[in-house]
């Protein structure tokens, strides 16, 4: 059995695929992952013994710039990624393929290659916010914006589909024509299918009634991390009360200016030390104080269990890791699904949704005061006990079942 997994996106898109790949390999399947060739992602897949087949440009080359990508950049990147998927996935799948699973930034092209081969295709997502719904409006997408006074969700989601067609439609249908397939109308719904998989914890991200589609919720795909913390970090942790962790992951161009200094000063206001996760945002020490420790790539599962509060951007993976560790959270949402995770953490009472993407010393001091309340810690620990850890195993079983079914 040979399975092709593909994604183009940040660490939060690639690490779940590594978790799924590990589960598939444990069940005897051969796995290939087609993903952006960032060094971090190659190393991540090396940990589970799965090769990375390069797909498109590195993500860091797109997002790790002084300014966020523009709409014009998006209209260049979208068709380029579609063409890369047709070319790369067709070449990989030509060597034998029993199923294709795609995730990440609108993976247009993956379903079409699977269709040509006559093998099952699955679209997986890590939250519900991108799926058509009667309960919330679509997120921002490059292209013609909806009128500011439009409030009808059905109309707004129709306009979202039109923006997807403008970004991806021509490239998808060129690729389909090259494969001898008829054109498709409505790229977004074609990519999503009626039954996407939702790789998110049901307590953190309930799906019942939230979307017009019928998602299969597997639970989050969590890659176990047994790496020991570096000796110098362990010494820092052992040298006092649990610190406040601050990190913004892959949010290089979006991380608020001066956030490291604001976070350090806010933590000091509460007598707390700080661990700064440098990440792609390049957070670093703000002075020579011995109450601040900077880390790069590290086992967050272990580190968060030793943190008083986790301050982060609200990516699905970081939110789930912190929740599983029982650590109170302060979420500073910047883009995409992050406002959802911020609001969800607040609703569950396991942390604080920071008001807006530009924290100050005062705003972070207030947020930390709330997050450090013993009642929040107690609720965070209670929720941690409910977070499922078998999501990748569930998904692996479902995918292999699909792949093993007789084909027309």
């Amino acid at each position: 059995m040979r399975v092709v997994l593909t994604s183009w996106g940040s660490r939060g898109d690639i690490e779940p695929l590594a978790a799924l790949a590990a589960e598939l390999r444990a069940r005897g399947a051969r796995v290939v992952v087609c993903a952006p060739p960032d060094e971090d992602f190659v190393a991540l897949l090396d940990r589970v013994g799965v090769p990375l087949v390069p797909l498109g440009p590195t993500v860091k080359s797109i997002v790790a710039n002084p300014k966020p990508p523009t709409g014009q950049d998006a209209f260049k990147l979208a068709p380029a990624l579609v063409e890369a998927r047709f070319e790369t996935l067709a070449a990989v799948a030509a060597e034998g393929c029993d199923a294709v699973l795609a995730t990440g930034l609108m993976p247009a092209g993956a379903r079409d290659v699977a269709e040509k081969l006559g093998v099952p295709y699955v679209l997986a997502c890590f939250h519900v916010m991108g799926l058509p719904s009667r309960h919330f409006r679509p997120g921002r997408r490059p292209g013609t914006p909806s009128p500011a006074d439009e409030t009808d969700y059905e109309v707004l989601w129709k306009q979202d589909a039109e923006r997807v067609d403008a970004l991806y439609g021509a490239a998808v249908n060129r690729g389909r024509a090259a494969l001898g397939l008829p054109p498709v109308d409505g790229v977004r719904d074609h990519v999503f299918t009626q039954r996407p998989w939702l790789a998110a914890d049901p307590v953190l991200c309930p799906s019942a009634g939230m979307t017009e589609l019928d998602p299969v919720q597997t639970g989050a795909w969590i890659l176990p991390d047994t790496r020991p913390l570096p000796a110098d970090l362990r010494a820092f942790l052992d040298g006092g009360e649990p610190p406040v962790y601050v990190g913004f992951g892959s949010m290089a161009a979006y991380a608020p200016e001066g956030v490291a200094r604001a976070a350090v000063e806010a933590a000091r206001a509460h007598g707390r030390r700080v661990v700064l996760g440098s990440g792609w945002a390049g957070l670093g020490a703000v002075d020579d104080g011995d109450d601040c420790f900077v880390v790069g790539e590290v086992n967050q599962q272990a580190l968060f269990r030793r943190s008083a509060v986790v301050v982060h951007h609200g990516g699905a993976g970081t939110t789930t890791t912190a929740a599983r560790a029982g650590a109170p959270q302060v979420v500073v949402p910047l883009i995409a699904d992050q406002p959802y995770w911020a609001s969800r953490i607040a609703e569950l009472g396991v942390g604080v949704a920071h008001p807006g993407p530009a924290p100050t010393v005062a705003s972070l001091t207030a947020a930390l005061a709330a997050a450090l309340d013993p009642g929040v810690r107690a609720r965070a620990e209670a929720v941690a006990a409910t977070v499922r850890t078998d999501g990748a195993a569930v998904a692996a079983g479902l995918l292999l079942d699909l792949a093993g079914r007789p084909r027309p």
Side-chain angles (χ1 to χ4, degrees):
M1 191 82 62
R2 188 169 185 264
V3 177
V4 175
L5 310 179
T6 185
S7 183
W8 196 92
S10 68
R11 173 71 175 252
D13 296 297
I14 308 303
E15 185 161 332
L17 280 195
L20 178 59
E23 284 288 346
L24 289 166
R25 286 196 69 214
R27 294 162 188 250
R30 292 178 296 146
V31 186
V32 177
V33 175
C34 300
D38 294 78
E39 292 181 4
D40 295 357
F41 305 159
V42 173
L44 181 62
L45 287 162
D46 278 347
R47 278 172 48 196
V48 297
V50 173
L52 183 149
V53 176
L55 174 71
T58 64
V59 176
K60 198 169 185 178
S61 69
I62 303 297
V63 304
N65 296 306
K67 294 183 179 180
T70 65
Q72 187 176 11
D73 295 332
F75 273 90
K76 293 178 181 178
L77 178 64
L81 287 177
V82 172
E83 292 165 7
R85 287 191 193 95
F86 273 102
E87 179 180 352
T88 302
L89 295 180
V92 169
E95 299 177 13
C97 175
D98 297 290
V100 174
L101 181 142
T103 188
L105 179 68
M106 189 60 67
R111 180 179 181 178
D112 312 281
V113 172
E115 180 182 339
K116 178 64 177 179
L117 295 170
V119 300
Y121 158 84
V122 174
L123 182 281
C125 51
F126 305 119
H127 56 85
V128 296
M129 298 310 290
L131 303 178
S133 175
R134 297 178 185 175
H135 302 288
F136 50 82
R137 54 192 302 133
R140 288 187 176 184
R141 202 186 295 276
T144 304
S146 298
D149 59 352
E150 180 60 72
T151 59
D152 187 313
Y153 288 161
E154 184 176 354
V155 171
L156 290 169
W157 281 103
K158 180 176 181 295
Q159 292 167 347
D160 176 72
E162 292 168 354
R163 285 189 284 273
V164 173
D165 284 340
L167 281 163
Y168 300 95
V172 166
N173 284 325
R174 281 196 303 270
R176 288 180 65 84
L179 294 179
L181 298 172
V184 296
D185 293 321
V187 171
R188 186 197 68 194
D189 296 342
H190 173 71
V191 170
F192 284 175
T193 76
Q194 275 298 116
R195 296 213 78 192
W197 290 5
L198 176 58
D201 184 79
V203 171
L204 300 179
C205 182
S207 63
M210 292 299 294
T211 172
E212 300 302 285
L213 305 182
D214 185 21
V216 177
Q217 189 156 16
T218 64
W221 302 348
I222 299 169
L223 180 64
D225 197 341
T226 58
R227 296 173 298 166
L229 295 174
D232 53 353
L233 174 57
R234 292 200 308 272
F236 178 81
L237 294 172
D238 292 340
E241 289 189 6
V244 172
Y245 171 87
V246 182
F248 285 83
S250 305
M251 297 290 101
Y254 300 94
E257 185 176 354
V259 67
R261 178 169 293 279
V264 170
E265 293 186 13
R268 286 171 175 168
H270 291 283
R272 293 283 177 167
R273 302 175 304 152
V274 177
V275 172
L276 284 173
S278 58
W280 287 2
L283 302 187
V286 299
D287 53 35
D288 59 0
D290 61 3
D291 60 348
C292 182
F293 192 96
V294 180
V295 296
E297 168 63 21
V298 71
N299 180 345
Q300 290 188 335
Q301 295 172 17
L303 176 56
F304 289 0
R305 285 195 293 269
R306 301 195 61 179
S307 299
V309 177
V310 175
V311 180
H312 63 98
H313 56 294
T318 308
T319 303
T320 302
T321 301
R324 186 167 167 246
Q329 303 180 48
V330 172
V331 182
V332 183
L334 305 175
I335 59 170
D337 57 312
Q338 296 165 13
Y340 167 78
W341 292 108
S343 64
R344 188 67 189 140
I345 288 305
E347 288 169 4
L348 288 169
V350 299
V352 177
H354 184 272
T360 64
V361 175
S363 66
L364 281 178
T365 299
L368 285 175
L372 287 165
D373 182 279
V376 175
R377 165 66 69 172
R379 285 189 291 274
E381 291 175 348
V383 168
T386 73
V387 175
R388 291 179 53 180
T389 59
D390 64 343
V394 170
L398 291 172
L399 191 57
L400 292 178
D401 179 64
L402 276 177
R405 292 179 185 177
R407 300 174 196 164

